[in-house]
Amino acid sequence: MSILAWIVLGLIAGFIASKLVNRTGGSLVLDLVLGVVGAFVGGFLFTRFGAAGVTGFDIYSILVATIGAVIVLFIYHALAGRRT
């Protein structure tokens, strides 16, 4: 996949994940950026556990990216909550 496709997929996954995880009303832009990072994390984790990672621009890849984005957002909100 091209970098642009990864970014678009990450933005979609970040938006979905922000709706699932967002407990504190954080910035939507930050959640979207973390979603792009989460797409990479999801692809990496799925590959490490023997499943197919992000395979293209399809529903499965959006699911993988969303799971990665939820993980990244959950960790971010947990660390941000400890600072306050």
Side-chain angles (χ1 to χ4, degrees):
M1 278 181 42
S2 70
I3 297 296
L4 183 60
W6 271 99
I7 291 171
V8 171
L9 185 71
L11 291 174
I12 293 169
F15 178 76
I16 294 169
S18 71
K19 297 302 177 192
L20 295 173
V21 174
N22 195 3
R23 292 176 266 151
T24 59
S27 166
L28 180 63
V29 174
L30 178 63
D31 288 345
L32 292 176
V33 170
L34 291 174
V36 172
V37 173
F40 288 105
V41 169
F44 176 77
L45 290 177
F46 270 65
T47 302
R48 289 292 171 217
F49 287 113
V54 176
T55 58
F57 201 75
D58 55 9
I59 297 296
Y60 177 76
S61 296
I62 292 174
L63 177 69
V64 169
T66 302
I67 291 171
V70 165
I71 292 169
V72 169
L73 286 173
F74 181 76
I75 291 170
Y76 172 77
H77 286 301
L79 293 175
R82 286 181 45 187
R83 281 192 228 163
T84 59

